[in-house]
Amino acid sequence: MQAPLPGRPTLLVLDADPPPRLGRLTGRARIVHTDAAGLAGRLPEADVLLVWDFTSHAVREAWPGDGPRPRWVHTASAGVDHLMCPELAASDTVVTNARGIFDQPIAEYVAALVLAAAKDLPRTLDLQRERTWRHRESRRVAGTRACVVGSGPIGRAIARTLGALDVTTALVGRAARSCVHGPEDLDRLLSRADWVIAAAPLTERTYGMFDARRFGVMQPSAFFVNIGRGQLVDEEALAEALRRRWIAGAALDVFTAEPLPADSPLWELEGLIVSPHMSGDTVGWRDELGHQFVELYERWALGRSLVNVVDKKRGYVPGH
């Protein structure tokens, strides 16, 4: 990549609360903080942009303006759909993401949801609140089958973790390769899966991929989990599938609209577990994100090649 500018490069941070800890860069970078409203005015002066507020669409909106643009953009998230626009995709700017931070935490969260569903834990808690003693039988997890849609680091971590529970897991990716199925196998795998996990990046090809037809392909005993992006799922189709008992249950950690509106019918939909986009957020995760960025910045400052470089046209880091 192009060598960084001499002197102290300007690092622009699109802030969120709490802000990143960048003490190691003191004296090595001119650090400027901005909110979404001030981003467009600050972009021309920046050499590097850190998108700390990874829920904001401000980059996508501000990037097409006039003037120079940062030569490197890093987002403190695995997905990049919130910042990509045609102008950024066509530019020479390098985009990197937080690949590696969320893999195992999300895999553990998925495993917890699978176990909770199999052992009927939500109903157990409801009955406890009602002071009702009701014996039931639960499902065995070992020996079941899972289909994980998304073969990147998060999908692979989910497959490994479910494998420890003796769940046979099939990974589905953008194209078939060793140990990964292609899209042409997806319907067949869905029809046999006890657990279906959406872990794909949001792209033109994956937008709305879990629709009424796909839920209709699944077994009536299947449990669906989305920890990828809300827009992977047609939420109305999922709600209808649960009402009609086309599938046994579902858990959503991501939604088309976030925060999920208080009047959304999803809150009270029987068979659905709702969580507030927290599957990858474990204690200390923000410090890990900040540390990762500082290490990347130090590579960049030395003129070394960056890791976690996103293919801007595909929308994810290739090679996995």
Side-chain angles (χ1 to χ4, degrees):
M1 63 180 293
Q2 183 180 358
L5 296 173
R8 289 196 306 163
T10 297
L11 167 59
L12 179 62
V13 182
L14 178 59
D15 261 338
D17 189 34
R21 297 183 180 181
L22 302 174
R24 275 169 52 186
L25 300 184
T26 301
R28 302 162 64 186
R30 173 177 171 261
I31 302 175
V32 178
H33 295 265
T34 186
D35 58 13
L39 180 63
R42 290 287 195 175
L43 275 178
E45 67 184 277
D47 299 298
V48 179
L49 172 63
L50 168 58
V51 185
W52 190 249
D53 184 358
F54 53 81
T55 66
S56 172
H57 291 167
V59 176
R60 183 193 300 168
E61 296 162 1
W63 195 271
D66 296 328
R69 290 294 179 261
R71 293 174 296 135
W72 169 33
V73 174
H74 177 79
T75 180
S77 60
V80 298
D81 51 278
H82 60 290
L83 57 86
M84 293 306 299
C85 61
E87 292 81 2
L88 175 53
S91 72
D92 293 331
T93 297
V94 175
V95 176
T96 57
N97 72 354
R99 181 187 184 197
I101 299 295
F102 302 106
D103 308 355
Q104 190 56 36
I106 290 177
E108 293 171 5
Y109 201 86
V110 170
L113 289 170
V114 167
L115 288 168
K119 304 308 175 184
D120 200 22
L121 295 185
R123 182 61 178 152
T124 295
L125 294 174
D126 288 342
L127 291 170
Q128 179 180 346
R129 283 188 286 269
E130 297 169 7
R131 297 174 180 257
T132 300
W133 181 279
R134 184 175 301 163
H135 181 271
R136 289 110 58 221
E137 295 178 343
S138 64
R139 298 176 64 183
R140 185 187 292 240
V141 172
T144 59
R145 295 177 176 178
C147 175
V148 178
V149 183
S151 59
I154 292 174
R156 295 201 305 271
I158 292 170
R160 287 194 303 270
T161 303
L162 292 181
L165 297 173
D166 198 21
V167 177
T168 300
T169 304
L171 280 170
V172 180
R174 184 174 184 269
R177 57 192 185 277
S178 177
C179 301
V180 177
H181 295 266
E184 63 277 5
D185 292 335
L186 179 56
D187 286 355
R188 175 177 61 83
L189 294 169
L190 291 180
S191 70
R192 303 167 61 192
D194 300 288
W195 317 101
V196 177
I197 297 97
L202 182 62
T203 67
E204 289 183 1
R205 297 178 62 174
T206 62
Y207 190 97
M209 67 182 301
F210 289 98
D211 54 13
R213 189 187 69 79
R214 286 262 162 73
F215 290 120
V217 168
M218 297 178 196
Q219 300 185 89
S221 59
F223 188 86
F224 175 76
V225 177
N226 185 15
I227 48 78
R229 282 290 183 267
Q231 292 85 351
L232 299 176
V233 177
D234 180 334
E235 292 174 349
E236 290 187 8
L238 172 61
E240 187 68 9
L242 289 170
R243 293 189 193 102
R244 292 178 176 269
R245 301 185 186 276
W246 290 352
I247 59 175
L252 300 179
D253 186 55
V254 287
F255 300 85
T256 301
E258 295 185 7
L260 185 64
D263 61 354
S264 170
L266 295 177
W267 286 108
E268 298 180 348
L269 186 59
E270 186 176 355
L272 178 65
I273 298 173
V274 170
S275 59
H277 204 150
M278 59 180 282
S279 61
D281 302 347
T282 51
V283 175
W285 66 286
R286 290 185 178 87
D287 289 340
E288 290 184 55
L289 288 171
H291 180 73
Q292 181 188 55
F293 172 74
V294 168
E295 289 196 335
L296 283 171
Y297 184 91
E298 290 173 342
R299 292 178 65 96
W300 179 83
L302 293 171
R304 298 171 59 190
S305 296
L306 290 169
V307 296
N308 289 7
V309 175
V310 173
D311 183 321
K312 294 184 291 182
K313 298 194 184 307
R314 294 185 181 182
Y316 55 86
V317 179
H320 51 63

